[in-house]
């Protein structure tokens, strides 16, 4: 019994020692911190997973009685991230908001290999134009006005706006429309107030005539201000009269009420004359905005004025041609250094970039015009387009960050790159692993910006900025070598991308007439080496083979034989080996598809 008491006293003496108390405190603190960090990591990981889990249809949702408990690691997200309205286009469009993430699979959990992380579509500030088609004299005049409205919509869309046509029905829905009809006003004044009523019904913003168009670079400060869509007061500009107005719905409504409350309606000669001047902020003439009013046409464009005096329909057609040619000329003058058609693999991609080259030739030509050598009204010192001296077209192997040089790129899938670069009709997995270089296209394209020692992850991020940043979209266009988008749909989109009808001329365009008739090119050293005739003859066949074998992971279902399955396996291997080139191709494809879907959806909404 004495030995037991002695043992207990010895144990108590050890537990009460300073060394034991310090050790016990350390263990306690370590346990608490481990528990805390484990909880935080679990919650953070669950939030990250829940944000993207709703995008993966193959992951089932777990339903258990305690699934909503904060202690359950597998509980369902409270607010799952919704997909954007234009998220699907041939299974290659994405909906994420980040340009700084190099590889999309990092956020897609590698389960949706064809989903790409895209920047969000920017909200387009609306710009309205009031038009009454019933006021046209005849069908020919109505068609001419419709063509001019198309030119107006196309130009404003290309500069980042959402052009919307208003009509009498919009004014009819305004509560003040009945009050307007009870007033004894001149027909022209009543039409002018009806225009304001339709504008107020639409919610305010920008109101324009269809002869007011933007003819300046997208980065112009005036255009940036207008694209914000925030106007603290009613704004009009010197020299534009009421051709372009800006204001909030409340300010527009207040101005309308003031004009309708006039004690002498018969004395009202115009809306601006009757509206109080203190309600308007009058700014200087905006340089990038052009207004083709009657006085300007009469003073500077005599041929168009003669056509208008002869026949309104013929005059409007002539004016439409003049405006389109001026929009084209303004674009050409902004990119005074010409057009660069990207050719990172110069010896084996001549045929691959032929579509981009064809587009560049069309852009370098002159649009039809009733006054060929005329300049836009806001640039009397322009360099008018001359057929004998078109824009310079180069085919550099590296991207050049020059603000006055427009870039057209053709991004190939790494499988296409492998066939063309090696001039082989097929490749196998051992060759990919032991002999093929990694990301050859992306490395060559960004060599001038990033040098030779940068990783593919950094190159991908820089490439995404080249394609999708505000500067990139205004100074470049990126196509894909595999022609995943229908040609007619792409050609229609390009007119809206540039803001004018591109003068496609097949006779003067670029084509490959064959080895015996191909003209000697004027070689620029910056364009890199020139392919020999034998290699050029192989390119069309290899490119077509790459396009035929370019299938998605679902295209093999139901196929007989193993050739197609083998091709898909090789493609998957080459994608895994060239993560940078694959991500660049996916991003360029999805970005172009996203922009096409955006315009098609808007066109569907505005089809009425």
């Amino acid at each position: 019994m004495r030995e037991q008491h002695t043992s207990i006293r010895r144990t108590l003496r050890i537990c009460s020692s300073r060394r034991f108390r310090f050790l016990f405190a350390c263990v306690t603190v370590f346990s608490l911190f481990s528990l805390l960090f484990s909880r935080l990591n679990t919650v953070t990981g669950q939030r990250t997973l829940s944000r993207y889990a709703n995008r993966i249809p193959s992951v089932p949702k777990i339903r258990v009685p305690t699934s909503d408990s904060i202690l359950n690691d597998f509980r369902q997200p409270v607010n799952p991230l919704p997909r954007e309205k234009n998220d699907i286009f041939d299974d290659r469009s994405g909906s994420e908001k980040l340009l700084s993430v190099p590889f999309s699979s990092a956020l897609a959990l590698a389960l949706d290999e064809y989903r790409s992380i895209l920047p969000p579509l920017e909200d387009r500030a609306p710009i309205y134009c009031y038009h009454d088609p019933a006021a046209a004299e005849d069908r020919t005049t109505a068609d001419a006005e419709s063509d001019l409205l198309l030119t107006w919509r196309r130009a404003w869309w290309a500069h980042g706006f959402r052009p919307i046509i208003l009509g009498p029905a919009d004014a009819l829905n305004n509560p003040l429309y009945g009050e307007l009809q009870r007033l004894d006003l001149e027909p022209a004044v009543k039409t002018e107030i009806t225009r304001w009523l339709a504008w107020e019904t639409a919610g305010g913003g920008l109101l324009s005539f269809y002869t007011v168009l933007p003819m300046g670079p997208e980065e112009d400060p005036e255009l940036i201000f207008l694209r914000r869509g925030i106007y603290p007061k009613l704004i009009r500009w010197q020299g534009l009269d009421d051709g372009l107005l800006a204001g909030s719905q409340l300010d527009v409504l207040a101005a309308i009420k003031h004009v309708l409350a006039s004690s002498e309606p018969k004395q009202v000669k115009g809306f601006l004359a009757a509206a109080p001047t203190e309600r308007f902020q009058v700014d200087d003439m905006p340089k990038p905005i052009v207004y083709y009013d009657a006085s300007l046409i009469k003073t500077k464009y005599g041929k168009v004025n003669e056509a208008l005096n002869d026949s309104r329909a013929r005059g409007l057609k002539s004016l439409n041609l003049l405006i389109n040619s001026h929009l084209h000329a303004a674009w050409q003058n902004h990119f005074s250094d010409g057009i660069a058609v990207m050719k990172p693999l110069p010896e084996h991609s001549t045929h691959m970039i032929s579509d981009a080259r064809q587009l560049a030739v069309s852009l370098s030509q002159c649009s039809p015009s009733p006054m060929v050598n005329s300049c836009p009204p806001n640039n009397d010192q322009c360099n008018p387009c001359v057929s004998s001296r078109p824009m310079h077209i180069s085919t550099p192997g590296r991207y050049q960050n020059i603000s006055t040089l427009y870039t057209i790129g053709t991004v190939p899938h790494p499988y296409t790159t492998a066939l063309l670069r090696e001039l082989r009709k097929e490749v196998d997995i051992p060759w990919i692993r032991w002999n093929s270089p990694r990301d050859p296209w992306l490395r060559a394209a960004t060599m001038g910006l990033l040098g030779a020692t940068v990783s593919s992850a950094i190159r991908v991020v820089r490439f995404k900025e080249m394609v999708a940043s505000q500067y990139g979209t205004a100074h470049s266009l990126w196509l894909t070598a595999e022609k995943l988008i229908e040609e007619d749909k792409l050609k229609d989109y390009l007119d809206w991308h540039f803001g004018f009808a591109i003068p496609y001329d097949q006779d003067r365009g670029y084509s490959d007439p064959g080895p015996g008739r191909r003209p000697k090119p004027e070689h620029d050293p910056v364009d890199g080496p020139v392919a020999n005739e034998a290699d050029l003859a192989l390119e069309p066949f290899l490119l077509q083979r790459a396009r035929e074998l370019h299938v998605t992971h679902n295209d093999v279902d139901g196929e007989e034989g193993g050739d197609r399955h083998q091709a898909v396996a090789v493609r998957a291997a080459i994608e895994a080996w060239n993560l940078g080139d694959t991500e660049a191709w996916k991003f360029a494809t999805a970005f172009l598809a996203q922009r096409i879907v955006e315009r098609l959806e808007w066109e569907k909404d505005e089809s009425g």
Side-chain angles (χ1 to χ4, degrees), residues 339-407:
I339 305 172
V341 181
M342 286 283 292
K343 196 177 182 183
L345 305 175
E347 292 185 353
H348 307 98
S349 56
T350 301
H351 195 79
M352 185 183 73
I353 67 166
S354 61
D355 289 344
R357 174 83 179 187
Q358 168 70 60
L359 176 60
V361 171
S362 298
L363 290 170
S364 69
Q365 295 179 9
C366 302
S367 293
S369 173
M371 302 180 67
V372 177
N373 294 324
S374 63
C375 287
N378 60 342
N379 186 11
D380 293 332
Q381 305 299 320
C382 78
N383 292 320
C385 184
V386 180
S387 299
S388 59
R389 289 183 285 113
M391 295 178 68
H392 175 67
I393 299 175
S394 60
T395 55
R398 302 176 179 181
Y399 178 81
Q400 298 170 294
N401 188 18
I402 302 175
S403 60
T404 54
L405 180 70
Y406 194 85
T407 301

Side-chain angles (χ1 to χ4, degrees), residues 267-444:
Q267 302 301 320
V268 176
K269 301 301 181 182
F271 193 99
L272 293 183
T277 56
E278 62 271 11
R279 289 189 177 275
F280 285 90
Q281 173 183 321
V282 182
D283 290 346
D284 296 334
M285 178 76 173
K287 185 172 178 56
I289 307 297
V290 172
Y291 181 20
Y292 290 85
D293 61 352
S295 60
L296 176 70
I297 295 173
K298 183 177 181 179
T299 303
K300 301 190 67 172
Y301 308 110
K303 289 185 178 181
V304 177
N305 186 60
E306 292 175 4
L308 284 169
N309 293 333
D310 182 47
S311 167
R312 177 170 172 78
R314 191 167 70 86
L316 289 178
K317 291 180 179 179
S318 180
L319 178 60
N320 189 33
L321 288 175
L322 180 72
I323 292 175
N324 187 76
S325 67
H326 285 174
L327 289 167
H328 191 179
W331 183 87
Q332 290 179 335
N333 277 261
H334 178 61
F335 296 104
S336 55
D337 284 328
I339 305 172
V341 181
M342 286 283 292
K343 196 177 182 183
L345 305 175
E347 292 185 353
H348 307 98
S349 56
T350 301
H351 195 79
M352 185 183 73
I353 67 166
S354 61
D355 289 344
R357 174 83 179 187
Q358 168 70 60
L359 176 60
V361 171
S362 298
L363 290 170
S364 69
Q365 295 179 9
C366 302
S367 293
S369 173
M371 302 180 67
V372 177
N373 294 324
S374 63
C375 287
N378 60 342
N379 186 11
D380 293 332
Q381 305 299 320
C382 78
N383 292 320
C385 184
V386 180
S387 299
S388 59
R389 289 183 285 113
M391 295 178 68
H392 175 67
I393 299 175
S394 60
T395 55
R398 302 176 179 181
Y399 178 81
Q400 298 170 294
N401 188 18
I402 302 175
S403 60
T404 54
L405 180 70
Y406 194 85
T407 301
I408 303 178
T410 303
V411 186
H413 187 274
Y415 186 87
T416 305
T417 303
L419 295 188
L420 292 176
R421 191 173 184 272
E422 300 298 324
L423 297 179
R424 301 173 56 153
K425 66 177 182 179
E426 60 183 17
V427 294
D428 51 28
I429 294 178
W431 176 86
I432 296 172
R433 175 63 182 87
W434 300 109
N435 300 107
S436 65
R438 281 187 166 178
D439 305 323
W441 186 91
L442 182 64
R443 180 181 177 86

Side-chain angles (χ1 to χ4, degrees), residues 96-118:
E96 293 301 331
K97 317 286 187 187
L98 306 173
L99 279 179
S100 59
V101 178
F103 300 110
S104 302
S105 58
L107 293 182
L109 300 182
L111 293 180
D112 190 354
E113 59 179 304
Y114 281 99
R115 184 159 303 280
S116 183
I117 300 173
L118 294 176

Side-chain angles (χ1 to χ4, degrees), residues 15 17-29:
C15 292
S17 67
R18 182 179 303 175
R19 181 178 302 175
F20 179 83
R21 289 199 300 271
F22 176 78
L23 179 61
F24 180 80
C26 291
V27 172
T28 304
V29 172

Side-chain angles (χ1 to χ4, degrees), residues 114-155:
Y114 281 99
R115 184 159 303 280
S116 183
I117 300 173
L118 294 176
L121 289 172
E122 295 184 2
D123 293 333
R124 292 175 173 266
I127 181 169
Y128 302 98
C129 177
Y130 179 81
H131 175 64
D132 184 4
E137 302 171 357
D138 49 38
R139 181 59 182 270
T140 306
T141 303
D143 291 342
E145 291 177 347
S146 179
D147 292 340
L148 200 50
L149 282 167
L150 175 61
T151 299
W152 175 84
R153 295 163 70 201
R154 196 162 45 206

